[in-house]
């Protein structure tokens, strides 16, 4: 879509990070790029989709969501909160996403980061990854990392 075709004026006012996160998942579920645009900050957003690379500009982030939504059937998404931390004008939410399309269900671990701006809360980062299969505990003397 690019800079010229995208309205950067964000009319939505999100009073909290939780409200912004709800709007993010509503936009995702509805495959609604206009609603997704309202959630993201104008300044320095970043996004990593499962298996994807780092997206560092608003245009890259929103173009990626537009591509995901193109010809997509609306998914069913259940979000399970792992933890939420908020300090001042920054909030970090760790969640497990259960994303279903018909009979297929995917599980994603996601970190959603929000910042409070003068016009309200906006998403500044979303990082989704596919959970690794459970491993056997490390044997004494062998490091996993």
């Amino acid at each position: 879509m690019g800079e010229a075709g995208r309205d950067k004026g964000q009319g939505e006012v999100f009073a909290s990070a939780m409200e912004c996160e709800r709007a993010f998942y509503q936009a995702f579920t509805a495959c609604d790029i206009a609603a997704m645009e309202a959630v993201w900050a104008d300044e320095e957003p970043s996004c990593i989709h499962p298996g994807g690379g780092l997206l560092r500009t608003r245009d890259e982030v929103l173009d990626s969501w537009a591509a995901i939504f193109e010809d997509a059937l609306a998914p069913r998404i259940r979000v399970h909160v792992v933890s939420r931390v908020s300090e001042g004008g920054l909030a970090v939410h760790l969640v497990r996403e259960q994303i279903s399309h018909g009979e297929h269900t995917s599980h994603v671990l996601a970190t959603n980061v929000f910042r409070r701006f003068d016009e309200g809360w906006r998403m500044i980062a979303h990082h989704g990854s596919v959970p690794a299969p459970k491993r056997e505990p490390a044997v004494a003397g062998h490091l996993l990392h």
Side-chain angles (χ1 to χ4, degrees), residues 1 6 33 36 61-71:
M1 182 173 290
R6 183 165 281 129
I33 192 62
M36 185 62 76
V61 170
L62 294 173
D63 286 348
S64 74
W65 284 105
I68 289 168
F69 295 164
E70 188 174 318
D71 300 324

Side-chain angles (χ1 to χ4, degrees), residues 65-134:
W65 284 105
I68 289 168
F69 295 164
E70 188 174 318
D71 300 324
L73 297 174
R76 288 184 321 276
I77 302 173
R78 292 185 59 189
V79 178
H80 306 275
V81 175
V82 176
S83 70
R84 288 187 176 128
V85 177
S86 185
E87 183 74 28
L90 194 65
V92 179
H93 298 179
L94 302 178
V95 300
R96 285 189 330 258
E97 302 169 347
Q98 183 178 338
I99 306 169
S100 301
H101 292 93
E103 298 297 313
H104 180 73
T105 299
S106 299
H107 297 271
V108 175
L109 296 173
T111 303
N112 297 323
V113 184
F114 305 90
R115 184 173 153 204
R116 185 176 51 228
F117 293 90
D118 290 342
E119 69 275 7
W121 287 85
R122 295 283 182 255
M123 180 173 270
I124 60 169
H126 171 77
H127 181 183
S129 64
V130 177
K134 291 192 179 212

